[in-house]
Amino acid sequence: MSLPRFFLENQVLAAETEAVFPLRLETDDAKHARVLRLTAGEHIAVIDADQDYFECEIVDFADELPLVSIARHEDASEAGPQVILLQGLAKGDKMETVIRHATEVGVAAFVPLTCVRSIVKLDAKKAAAKTERWRAIAKSAAMQSGQARVPEVAEPVSVREAAAMLGQATAVLVCWEEAPETASLSEAVHDALLATCTPADDARIAVVVGPEGGLAEEEVQLLLGCNGRARLVTLGPSILRTETAGIVAPALALYELGGMGNRPSPTYEGNRG
């Protein structure tokens, strides 16, 4: 059984000088720890502010914060491939669903997109509040699913602003319902790895999914023009909801990079020379 996992934002455990010390959890995380009814002798997994992994033993939890000792320490894990999801703003709680489940899959970052066909329109105040909510969901999902890092969640940007960010991506995969049946996501990923001589573990892949109404053609053209390795991709003949595509597409990209239980083919390991 996996250990309960917590992320620290401002505490480096290697810098602690006492054998027993308070674990400076965020307020919501401390509440979560109390809900779990953690008691002395139990172990938890902790990723500190330096991204180092520690297994800690609860010594006491009588106060607001648990007192712990370090039972085991491992070096920070290798970053591995990064898949960034650029998701068109969707109505209701669909964005929360995408962020929660795509975090569980292993998405490294989220960029919410304000699209021409987005039903949801957010002013600056609402966008900031929504972003904080999404960041909390990403953190909770990362804790629950045992991720090594909490995904970054950006504030909403326009498609034009997003396109300006993607010039250095290994590949940009634009999921569009009008993409031809031959627009293979697998081929787009592998062709980009070969073209850039990038090992799968070093890849940075951007996946773009539109809102309920899909991406407008002018938005697609902006995205295809932002990077020489930007490609249209299809997710098959089924008509997927935006919240389904936002989970399936990055999962497929991660699979092609050796994640999701897959093993990368040595053909696509790239050449650093």
Side-chain angles (χ1 to χ4, degrees), residues 39 72 74 110 120 180 195 204 215 219 221 235-236 239 253 258 264 273:
T39 58
R72 186 164 62 92
E74 293 181 4
F110 297 92
V120 176
R204 185 173 180 270
L215 294 166
E219 293 173 323
Q221 295 307 317
L235 299 179
I239 299 173

Side-chain angles (χ1 to χ4, degrees), residues 223-245:
L223 292 163
L224 292 179
C226 76
N227 184 308
R229 294 166 304 283
R231 298 287 184 273
L232 291 179
V233 298
T234 178
L235 299 179
S238 297
I239 299 173
L240 302 182
R241 295 176 183 270
T242 182
E243 65 271 30
T244 306

Side-chain angles (χ1 to χ4, degrees), residues 172-212:
V172 179
L173 311 179
V174 183
C175 303
W176 197 35
E177 62 274 14
E178 297 185 40
E181 293 181 7
T182 55
S184 164
L185 182 149
S186 175
E187 288 181 7
V189 170
H190 295 152
D191 287 351
L193 295 181
L194 287 173
T196 58
C197 297
T198 301
D201 278 349
D202 294 340
R204 185 173 180 270
I205 307 292
V207 176
V208 185
V209 173
E212 287 92 347

